[in-house]
Amino acid sequence: LIEGYGLTEGGVTHLNPIKRAKIGCIGKLLPNVECKLMPDGEIALKGPFNFSGYYKDTEATAKVFEDGWLLTGDIGTVDEEG
């Protein structure tokens, strides 16, 4: 059992390596994924996996994207191992 991270709107984006899993950590970025922390610590994601928007709800869609970054609503940190 290993930990990872993802969401319906963006798919799996992080995964702990099987041979070096770190408990309590979502793991490393998967290929073709960009991730940054917003000033408030919110995880923002970018990549070909991002959904294009909520069905017939442009207002909700506008709230979760900022300059092409998907705002997850989740708070994260980056430790010394990345």
Side-chain angles (χ1 to χ4, degrees), residues 17 56 82:
K56 294 185 178 182

Side-chain angles (χ1 to χ4, degrees), residues 15-37:
L15 198 60
N16 259 297
I18 293 173
K19 294 183 180 186
R20 291 188 54 234
K22 184 174 180 180
I23 296 172
C25 178
I26 62 173
K28 302 280 186 179
L29 278 173
L30 294 177
N32 299 315
V33 177
E34 292 180 70
C35 179
K36 71 176 183 177
L37 295 180

Side-chain angles (χ1 to χ4, degrees), residues 7-74:
L7 56 160
T8 304
E9 296 88 347
V12 177
T13 60
H14 296 73
L15 198 60
N16 259 297
I18 293 173
K19 294 183 180 186
R20 291 188 54 234
K22 184 174 180 180
I23 296 172
C25 178
I26 62 173
K28 302 280 186 179
L29 278 173
L30 294 177
N32 299 315
V33 177
E34 292 180 70
C35 179
K36 71 176 183 177
L37 295 180
M38 302 303 284
D40 63 356
E42 181 177 9
I43 299 169
L45 302 167
K46 187 185 277 191
F49 52 83
N50 280 2
F51 81 135
S52 58
Y54 294 111
Y55 183 67
K56 294 185 178 182
D57 196 341
T58 54
E59 187 177 318
T61 299
K63 289 180 182 177
V64 297
F65 281 101
E66 185 175 305
D67 297 323
W69 290 90
L70 173 62
L71 304 175
T72 66
D74 296 326

